[in-house]
Amino acid sequence: SLHKKAFAYTVALTIANYHLFIHLFAGDSCCNPLSMGAIKKMVEEEVPGIYVLSLMIGKSVVQDTENSFFMDVNEQVSFVCDQLAQDPKLKGGYNAMGFSQGSQFLRGVVQRCPDPPMKNLISVGGQHQGVFGLPRCPGESSHICDWIRKMLNSGAYTDTVQKHLVQAQYWHDPLNDDLYKKHSLFLADINQERVVNETYKKNLMSLNKFVMVKFLQDTMVDPVDSEWFGFYKPGQAKELETLQESAIYTEDRLGLAEMDSAGKLVFLATDGDHLQFTREWFNDNLLPYLH
């Protein structure tokens, strides 16, 4: 199976003309031959002639990895938007694929940067309603993960933590909903929690397909329902609600209800832990959205 043991994943891959494919990992880098590099190679093998752009956030692999933990997400989104706009091969549009936290970052790209146009957005284990917990944080960066837990527990919504810790920017505390809505620098903005930005809504609705992949045995994302845009019901952290039951859908702040009615939302599920899938599953279920 294709799996990288890392903690929140932020890397970006892009495929154009035929497609653009973007992946974002925390604790990984754009060009790791065992993870994102392997997926880039696999797509190129499966779709001859495809143009795949792997986005590096920073000037080196080391910077790319560090930025997945510590660079302001809004700055990352702007950085990606600039790269996409400057690539002549993407002018006709592209498909984008995000892995884990990269998925919601790419949604920020489509909502904020309509040129060049994103055609399909494929979210693989993304957390579109954020996370409330870090149940497992393995790999070489365990000391960083321990520090991140400490920061999130002590004050996820303080200015310093929000500005300098990527995971805090999609930390969604259902027990402190007002704090989340007021101080979340990234997630509350792209989820229209404070005001409804009609441009965000229009741009997201311009997608042909918004594909969301949920891993049924996921031990890294809490709650796993966030991978299908679900979350805890407000005011508690036990009972869950689906996207269709949530205010973001019933009020249609992002156009998701209208997209759902038009058949633009695709919900896929697979057994396995976070980001664990076979090449066969990928080819059967995701590759069609890259054509």
Side-chain angles (χ1 to χ4, degrees), residues 220-285:
M220 198 171 290
V221 173
D222 186 10
V224 68
D225 299 63
S226 188
E227 296 177 354
W228 275 2
F229 231 123
F231 203 65
Y232 295 111
K233 291 184 177 181
Q236 47 84 58
K238 291 184 179 180
E239 193 175 351
L240 295 156
E241 65 182 8
T242 65
L243 165 64
Q244 289 78 4
E245 294 168 334
S246 68
I248 199 171
Y249 187 96
T250 58
E251 297 170 6
D252 211 13
R253 299 197 302 258
L254 271 175
L256 292 168
E258 192 168 335
M259 291 176 73
D260 201 10
S261 296
K264 288 189 171 188
L265 301 186
V266 179
F267 300 92
L268 301 178
T270 180
D271 281 322
D273 205 345
H274 195 58
L275 304 188
Q276 288 187 335
F277 54 86
T278 64
R279 182 168 184 157
E280 181 182 16
W281 184 90
F282 182 95
N283 290 347
D284 289 346
N285 293 277

Side-chain angles (χ1 to χ4, degrees), residues 99 113 164 176 277:
F99 291 82
C113 306
H164 299 291
N176 290 284
F277 54 86

Side-chain angles (χ1 to χ4, degrees), residues 150-165:
K150 184 177 180 181
M151 291 300 99
L152 292 173
N153 288 332
S154 65
Y157 299 119
T158 61
D159 290 343
T160 300
V161 174
Q162 276 291 308
K163 192 70 178 174
H164 299 291
L165 181 58

Side-chain angles (χ1 to χ4, degrees), residues 123-253:
S123 165
V124 186
Q127 305 99 44
H128 292 281
Q129 278 283 18
V131 297
F132 185 53
L134 298 176
R136 190 165 68 84
C137 185
E140 303 84 353
S141 304
S142 59
H143 62 291
I144 295 178
C145 297
D146 289 341
W147 180 82
I148 287 173
R149 282 196 184 92
K150 184 177 180 181
M151 291 300 99
L152 292 173
N153 288 332
S154 65
Y157 299 119
T158 61
D159 290 343
T160 300
V161 174
Q162 276 291 308
K163 192 70 178 174
H164 299 291
L165 181 58
V166 165
Q167 289 68 40
Q169 293 174 54
Y170 57 87
W171 184 258
H172 186 171
D173 186 345
L175 305 178
N176 290 284
D177 206 44
D178 290 342
L179 275 179
Y180 156 69
K181 289 178 179 179
K182 184 176 180 180
H183 296 290
S184 170
L185 290 181
F186 177 70
L187 189 68
D189 177 67
I190 65 165
N191 281 3
Q192 311 269 51
E193 298 283 12
R194 291 185 281 265
V195 296
V196 174
N197 182 328
E198 292 296 338
T199 300
Y200 282 7
K201 185 175 180 178
K202 175 186 174 184
N203 290 343
L204 186 64
M205 290 176 65
S206 72
L207 288 171
N208 294 330
K209 296 289 183 182
F210 179 10
V211 182
M212 288 172 269
V213 179
K214 177 180 178 181
F215 292 87
L216 298 177
Q217 308 302 322
D218 203 315
T219 60
M220 198 171 290
V221 173
D222 186 10
V224 68
D225 299 63
S226 188
E227 296 177 354
W228 275 2
F229 231 123
F231 203 65
Y232 295 111
K233 291 184 177 181
Q236 47 84 58
K238 291 184 179 180
E239 193 175 351
L240 295 156
E241 65 182 8
T242 65
L243 165 64
Q244 289 78 4
E245 294 168 334
S246 68
I248 199 171
Y249 187 96
T250 58
E251 297 170 6
D252 211 13
R253 299 197 302 258

Side-chain angles (χ1 to χ4, degrees), residues 67-81:
N67 286 338
S68 70
F69 285 116
F70 303 121
M71 183 179 179
D72 186 316
V73 176
N74 294 307
E75 292 179 13
Q76 292 192 48
V77 169
S78 295
F79 185 88
V80 169
C81 288

